Amino acid sequence: MNRTTPPALLVLIAAALCSLAGAANAEATSTTFKVAFYNIQSGKGEPALAGHDLTFPDTSNCTNPAQPLNAWGTGLVQQHLVETLGNDPAVVALGLAEAWTCASPENVRATLGWKARSSDRNGIAMVARYGFAGPEEWLQLDTTANTNPADTKWVLRAPVCLDAACAVSINMFVTHWLGSGVDPEAVFDRQAQATLAFMTRTAGTAPSLLVGDLNLWEFLGSQDPPPAGISRLREAGYVDAWPLVNGSAEGFTGMVNRAGRGSPVGAPWKRVDYTWSPAAFLPTGITRFGVVPPGDAAPSDHYGLITEFPLPPTEPRLDAVAPAVALLSPIDGLTVSTGPVVLTVAASDDVGVTRVEILEDGVVAHTLLPGDTSVECAALAAVDGLHTIVARAFDAAGNIGLSAAHRITVTTAGSVPPVVSPTGEIVLHARNASPVVGNWRTVADATAAGGARLWNPDAGAPKLPAALASPAHYFELTFAAEAGRAYRLWLRGRADRDFWGNDSVYVQFSGSVSATGSPVMRTGTTDAAWVSLEDCSGCGLQGWGWQDNGYGAGVLGPLVWFASAGPQTIRVQQREDGPSFDQIVLSPAQYLTASPGTTRVDGVILPQTQPGPAPEPVPPPVPASGGPEILLTSGAATQVVGLWRAVVDASASGGMALGT
């Protein structure tokens, strides 16, 4: 059972799952199948309006019963999913948007008791009752002109099994569009064109369907001209399921319980969620789910869609033999330290191979035409971490053959040589971390230092109250430091969805000490600094931002010293899941009192550094000529007690002062 499901709902959901299992084992006799789509709003739900029963608040908490729980925590979302999707054996797949935190794809799959789920990109995912007939594919849409380009948008394709034996499958696409900024219409138009091209390339003329939250709507179908993205789909021959089946019925799906909107008050007031299919493959029905009386607490701020289609034709083709394809290189399990990586394939067919596609981490990266057998891939070797490669061969009849997946590990690939810092600045790029343990992963990101960032995907895990001596999720980097010199710690990072619950980590070192030489923030202990990317409560997050280990607008955290000169290790471990990092700075001078960049919408990428020449030794003090003068500097204090602390001060003797 899903770990976030309250005990009070166990009997209800268990009974529903038993019913579902019985239905799944029954012999399928239907000539139709159903697919669903739901913008699930992280499982938070939409609280009731004034005058209605307030069963849950607007909160992200779904796991801590000591605090008010959201709709997932109370079980409302799971109840709607099981009753409307799980208990209907004709529903074979569910496309998801905003599937974050509580309502993660895995939590949804476990609630329904279905066989498989896809991976996810910024809340887009798919869950399948009987599984998938082949690998998933992803396309990232253009958001560069949006107000927040970092809020990425995607299209996912996966071949969904329509029965338990997966004798029949269909290509299903799920997407989430968004246009904003100076010219949102142009953004929507580009996203629509890219989606159509992706669908044509990956599904061809075979039956397929598209579900998603397009963030576009018409006013009861009478808008003239219609939004750009809608027009593109219609011009390409795709049919909007709702008006096809239900005529002029409004079919609104969003936004629920918005003050001053909807009639009656609390009802949705625009149709932003869609099912589209080619004119040669039309639906037979479409309904909404997740529906509650207007103003009542709802499982999401959207309604979901369930669309019914006829089973696709299964007549045998003249050429029913799929091509055979194999990856000859790289070998499975290879570790690569320098690029580029050479990808070599062998493909054959009883009639002829028309093309071979190579998928890297689920995305088509190369297309080989007849006669081509290999390609060099510099991009693959430029991102550290584990990568999966699959080859896919096509013949003229549309048969597809898949190779076995090969996994390779890239280490220190494409690293830019560090530069010497004359002031002793330590700049580390997170992409070079080793080891990278648990949920942390290296992902390509053109906006990050070195083209990659370390990411701990948001899975709805609760915040850890303290660092762990033996954490399950962490990454480490090594560097050389000077003994007895004060360093300021800075990290550049970003939070999934710019959410404050995805923005913090614990930081530890192998040899750090306090100003008085006492061990602090050491790996292998529960003592650590914590870095929160949001500068203060309510300050907000937007894209990349720099932060130190202090909390509060303009507040700097404690400095870091090291007991001995030479190699040190920094460990970044999970406090909350959902953050990404690309740069770590330990600054003794240049950024001692000022950040390397901004707290939000930052674009500063610093070069990696290495230690410069050892500093000149400080000459011994010159004895006073007039007698036994004694000079004591505060920086030489051996005990600093209570509120007193050593602080760097260029105007003080020896560059160090004591203050409270």
Side-chain angles (χ1 to χ4, degrees), residues 407-549:
R407 294 169 177 84
I408 68 170
T409 301
V410 177
T411 59
T412 64
S415 297
V416 177
V419 300
V420 174
S421 171
T423 57
E425 310 301 316
I426 299 170
V427 179
L428 308 172
H429 287 181
R431 57 159 291 149
N432 296 318
S434 180
V436 178
V437 178
N439 290 340
W440 287 96
R441 63 182 68 171
T442 307
V443 295
D445 188 334
T447 68
R453 56 186 163 92
L454 265 291
W455 178 40
N456 185 353
D458 180 11
K463 180 192 300 182
L464 296 177
L468 301 176
S470 299
H473 313 289
Y474 67 91
F475 65 87
E476 292 182 345
L477 289 143
T478 58
F479 60 94
E482 298 177 36
R485 193 174 189 186
Y487 290 88
R488 177 77 64 197
L489 171 67
W490 296 99
L491 277 72
R492 193 178 89 135
R494 62 186 306 162
D496 282 2
R497 307 184 322 283
D498 292 330
F499 174 50
W500 56 264
N502 296 334
D503 77 333
S504 65
V505 289
Y506 290 114
V507 180
Q508 298 174 312
F509 300 90
S510 57
S512 51
V513 294
S514 67
T516 59
S518 301
V520 292
M521 299 180 288
R522 290 286 184 96
T523 53
T525 73
T526 58
D527 183 29
W530 65 275
V531 176
S532 173
L533 295 175
E534 187 178 34
D535 208 19
C536 66
S537 179
C539 282
L541 295 159
Q542 188 174 353
W544 290 108
W546 288 92
Q547 266 304 338
D548 75 327
N549 52 323

Side-chain angles (χ1 to χ4, degrees), residues 125 144-145 190 275 298 314 349 377 411 464 550-551 567 602 637 645 648 659:
T144 55
R190 288 195 296 272
T275 302
T314 57
D349 183 65
C377 180
T411 59
L464 296 177
Y551 185 72
D602 179 80
R645 64 175 60 179
V648 175

